[in-house]
Amino acid sequence: MIIGTAGHIDHGKTTLVKALTGVDADRLPQEKARGITLDLGYAYVPQADGSVLGFIDVPGHEKLVHNMLAGATGIDFVLLVIAADDGPMPQTREHLELLDLLGLHRGAVALTKCDAVDAPRIAAAREEIEALLAGTRLQGSPVFALSATTGAGVAELRAHLDAAAAAHPARRATGRFRLAIDRCFTLAGLGTVVTGTAFSGRVGAGDTVNIAPAQRGSHGGIRARVKSLHVQDRPATHGQAGERCALALAGDFEKQDIERGMWVVEPAAARSLTRFQAELRVPATQAALKHWTPVHVHLGAADITGRVALLEGDLLAPGATALAEILLDRETLAVRGDRFVLRDASARHSIAGGRVLDCFPPTRHKRSPARLALLAALRDDDPATSLHLLAGQSAAGVDLERFAANWNLADDAAAALWQAAGLRVVESGEEQIGFAAACWQALGERLLAALATEHLRAPDMVGVERERLRRLTLPTLARAAFDALVAELLGAGRLSASRAWLHLPEHRASLAAGDRELFAVLKPLLDAQSLGPPRVRDVARDSGTAEDVVRQLFRRLARAGELYPVAHDHYFTAEAVAQLAAIVAELNAEKAAARAADLRDIIYRDGGGGRKVAIHILEFFDRIGYTRRVRDEHLLRSRDTPPEWLSR
């Protein structure tokens, strides 16, 4: 268990920690010289069961609240320190309010300096404390009257802390590893060391981690290796959620590249963000919060400026809770459930607090009823609740990778959740898209209905090209999901394919007898140079047929699926396109991509055209969805898609 102190300056927090642990948590020379705590201090004491009790001592000065918050986000138990002579003071109240906003509900009160006052004053201070805690999460917490200098009452408090630690449930080491950095320093023989509280997951010596968000380098942060670690001030082979960890890191970085507020995470969890949507509460003691208020956002150990965009009205009243979007001026990391505190633009007053709900909010329709309903579902701590609603809302499916990242789910937990929810999961590389069973079935019906409409509109066409049918079905549907849907419908016999066209099984396109006879005369001209056939004007000239007649015929043949318009007035036979598709597939297999120069060499050797024709061919394959262009390279859309589908 990690215990954090809180309270007004000069009420004896550091002295009490020393009395409880024997450790002076003031580590800076200026702290010792001035006798006040300026930054976070740490102390550890072994327990009888072999565990270690950790203490985070925070500064009490009003100008150092940002340091206090950096430590408070990682504690399990609050030790609120109040001097008997002063009673509750301004920073006592502010610290208590901050702890309340952070959702901390386990704690005790140390009434210090009791040796300097009489019994009536101690009784009065107890009454003041009872009134102070009323209505907060710490209401009813025990109060221990003591003197840290004489030792009176310290043993009773220590016994209570030991009992609380013994009863404290061990935090489950689920999810991906995340540690909020609150210190970074160098040690001889170890190099760069970072310390902080592990929010989730597990880490061990030898593990690869990311330090994010990076001040320099890649978007995913700085890659590092954990050389060794200390957990709760002891050497260890691994650390996990709920423990204070010191990690000795090795990698291509300098100490100055790392600062408080950054995170050490598993590489898969290094997803930086500049905005998130959240549940927000304004304390009853504060003024109403206006839409677009500039704020300081304290999340993890970071202090970042930003703004608040309210999603339910333009004013959040004192004591009220509402949904909001937090926009940050620089990147940070977060997951659903992380607690945060908002302070005003001058960083002098705490004005609100809340917890993260969605780290991947949409850019549009943020206040729509469907979006607000989803955010309301995200308030539930069971991810199945929001997954069920999201899957029902999303015709194009749920980005499962993002969903898992938002909830910080490890791979095994995510897979179990998808299975329990009965999702139809489509995988394409690292991408996973999930569909509710009803939505998947509705997509199939939508595709078939789109085909039926096209058959009525153009009965002389053999069918619809894949990419066009995807857009007609649902433009936002991912290609991998569309391909899986098509494969399923083909397997069920509800859909048929002819070369590159998809059509209903009962649909047949036919040519007039005159068209068939004329094409029998013209086709040998195309076959003579199949990989670089003549254009419409050349076919017309060589055959003595009117150019417009040839053009209209070729258009009808293209609609029937016997020719492909590779470029303007440049038609290839279906057999030639199938041959070219196989060549492109071979180039991808041999050289990882198809390039115009390589394709030109092959088709020129076989009597085809030059570079211009090769470019037209590759652009055609991009257009129909067989390949995709990446700079000057053309990559197969799917390694599992055989080129034969173009010739069926």
Side-chain angles (χ1 to χ4, degrees):
M1 187 174 76
I2 299 175
I3 300 169
T5 64
H8 197 77
I9 187 172
D10 201 33
H11 275 202
K13 296 184 294 297
T14 304
T15 303
L16 178 58
V17 170
K18 186 173 182 180
L20 289 167
T21 67
V23 177
D24 184 357
D26 279 347
R27 54 188 171 79
L28 302 176
Q30 55 267 45
E31 290 178 318
K32 297 182 182 297
R34 297 172 61 184
I36 62 172
T37 299
L38 302 175
D39 204 352
L40 302 176
Y42 310 94
Y44 302 91
V45 59
Q47 298 293 92
D49 62 359
S51 63
V52 177
L53 201 58
F55 287 80
I56 300 179
D57 185 33
V58 306
H61 197 283
E62 62 177 337
K63 294 183 179 179
L64 299 172
V65 171
H66 62 286
N67 285 345
M68 176 267 178
L69 282 167
T73 52
I75 66 176
D76 303 306
F77 190 95
V78 178
L79 183 55
L80 183 61
V81 180
I82 302 175
D85 52 356
D86 288 339
M89 295 290 282
Q91 256 49 64
T92 311
R93 293 182 174 86
E94 182 172 19
H95 282 198
L96 181 61
E97 193 170 76
L98 293 172
L99 297 167
D100 208 45
L101 291 173
L102 289 171
L104 295 167
H105 62 277
R106 301 181 67 232
V109 181
L111 185 59
T112 60
K113 302 186 180 181
C114 289
D115 57 324
V117 297
D118 55 20
R121 175 56 201 153
I122 293 175
R126 285 183 177 275
E127 292 179 359
E128 293 169 358
I129 291 169
E130 183 178 352
L132 175 71
L133 299 183
T136 72
R137 298 178 193 269
L138 293 179
Q139 181 175 341
S141 297
V143 179
F144 294 87
L146 54 85
S147 170
T149 55
T150 67
V154 173
E156 289 79 0
L157 174 60
R158 172 62 193 275
H160 177 77
L161 296 178
D162 289 345
H168 179 66
R171 196 180 302 183
R172 295 176 61 196
T174 55
R176 302 194 184 279
F177 178 72
R178 303 170 65 235
L179 178 142
I181 299 174
D182 53 37
R183 286 183 69 199
C184 178
F185 52 90
T186 57
L187 285 177
L190 287 178
T192 302
V193 177
V194 299
T195 70
T197 300
F199 278 48
S200 62
R202 183 183 176 99
V203 69
D207 286 355
T208 297
V209 295
N210 278 28
I211 307 163
Q215 299 180 59
R216 63 175 181 87
S218 65
H219 179 71
I222 302 167
R223 188 61 60 96
R225 179 177 59 84
V226 180
K227 294 194 296 184
S228 62
L229 66 160
H230 276 59
V231 174
Q232 303 289 81
D233 205 36
R234 290 181 171 182
T237 58
H238 70 273
Q240 63 183 41
E243 296 178 331
R244 290 282 309 169
C245 300
L247 309 179
L249 302 175
D252 183 21
F253 59 87
E254 304 293 337
K255 175 185 174 295
Q256 56 266 29
D257 295 328
I258 305 173
E259 61 183 20
R260 174 179 290 176
M262 297 173 72
W263 294 79
V264 178
V265 297
E266 284 186 36
R271 287 173 168 261
S272 299
L273 56 87
T274 54
R275 60 191 182 97
F276 59 84
Q277 291 181 341
E279 178 183 52
L280 195 62
R281 181 171 71 88
V282 173
T285 57
Q286 299 298 326
L289 182 64
K290 296 180 180 179
H291 176 72
W292 211 240
T293 297
V295 291
H296 281 257
V297 183
H298 295 266
L299 190 155
D303 174 4
I304 306 172
T305 56
R307 287 187 179 271
V308 178
L310 298 177
L311 300 177
E312 299 176 290
D314 294 324
L315 197 69
L316 183 54
T321 300
L323 298 169
E325 181 165 295
I326 311 300
L327 297 95
L328 306 173
D329 292 334
R330 60 180 173 86
E331 292 183 335
T332 190
L333 270 62
V335 300
R336 187 265 172 206
D338 281 353
R339 291 275 179 175
F340 63 92
V341 168
L342 302 182
R343 307 196 82 213
D344 65 7
S346 63
R348 296 183 61 185
H349 305 287
S350 302
I351 57 177
R355 58 175 180 158
V356 177
L357 295 179
D358 191 355
C359 297
F360 307 102
T363 56
R364 302 173 60 198
H365 309 301
K366 300 177 183 181
R367 296 189 179 194
S368 68
R371 180 62 191 170
L372 295 179
L374 176 60
L375 288 174
L378 282 163
R379 285 170 160 161
D380 193 318
D381 289 333
D382 184 356
T385 302
S386 54
L387 179 62
H388 176 76
L389 180 60
L390 184 59
Q393 286 182 352
S394 306
V398 180
D399 185 333
L400 297 181
E401 185 183 3
R402 280 195 168 190
F403 187 91
N406 187 57
W407 283 87
N408 192 30
L409 300 175
D411 292 342
D412 53 350
L417 179 60
W418 315 152
Q419 183 176 8
L423 295 185
R424 171 69 162 87
V425 179
V426 176
E427 298 194 27
S428 175
E430 295 182 359
E431 184 181 32
Q432 282 191 323
I433 307 169
F435 295 85
C439 289
W440 184 254
Q441 183 177 356
L443 267 178
E445 298 302 326
R446 193 167 176 170
L447 183 152
L448 297 174
L451 265 182
T453 300
E454 281 299 291
H455 291 338
L456 288 174
R457 187 189 66 82
D460 57 336
M461 287 191 68
V462 67
V464 182
E465 292 176 348
R466 286 179 173 243
E467 180 58 19
R468 183 163 179 268
L469 182 57
R470 183 187 69 82
R471 294 194 300 269
L472 289 172
T473 302
L474 186 64
T476 56
L477 185 62
R479 187 180 301 276
F482 176 77
D483 288 344
L485 185 64
V486 166
E488 189 172 294
L489 292 171
L490 286 170
R494 304 185 67 194
L495 184 67
S496 295
S498 297
R499 302 186 182 94
W501 286 273
L502 296 168
H503 57 87
L504 296 176
E506 63 274 15
H507 177 73
R508 294 290 182 273
S510 59
L511 283 173
D515 287 344
R516 181 66 62 194
E517 292 172 0
L518 180 55
F519 186 48
V521 174
L522 302 181
K523 188 172 184 292
L525 297 173
L526 301 179
D527 290 338
Q529 291 179 296
S530 61
L531 302 187
R535 293 178 178 272
V536 166
R537 63 176 180 271
D538 300 319
V539 172
R541 182 195 63 220
D542 295 344
S543 65
T545 308
E547 183 176 327
D548 192 56
V549 171
V550 175
R551 181 174 292 109
Q552 294 302 324
L553 172 64
F554 281 11
R555 285 177 180 172
R556 291 193 293 274
L557 287 164
R559 292 164 71 90
E562 298 193 30
L563 292 180
Y564 283 88
V566 170
H568 176 65
D569 272 0
H570 200 183
Y571 291 82
F572 286 58
T573 65
E575 296 82 4
V577 169
Q579 184 180 352
L580 288 166
I583 293 171
V584 169
E586 290 172 6
L587 287 173
N588 270 266
E590 295 173 3
K591 301 186 177 183
R595 300 171 183 83
D598 295 328
L599 181 60
R600 174 205 60 198
D601 293 343
I602 295 173
I603 64 176
Y604 186 79
R605 182 187 63 208
D606 293 343
R611 178 178 174 82
K612 187 175 181 180
V613 173
I615 291 173
H616 283 320
I617 292 168
L618 291 172
E619 289 176 345
F620 164 73
F621 283 137
D622 293 339
R623 193 164 61 249
I624 67 171
Y626 181 59
T627 57
R628 61 185 177 91
R629 181 174 178 175
V630 180
R631 292 182 291 277
D632 292 330
E633 298 179 340
H634 301 261
L635 312 178
L636 289 184
R637 284 284 184 180
S638 173
R639 299 287 178 180
D640 300 326
T641 302
E644 288 76 13
W645 68 265
L646 281 164
S647 59
R648 281 190 295 224

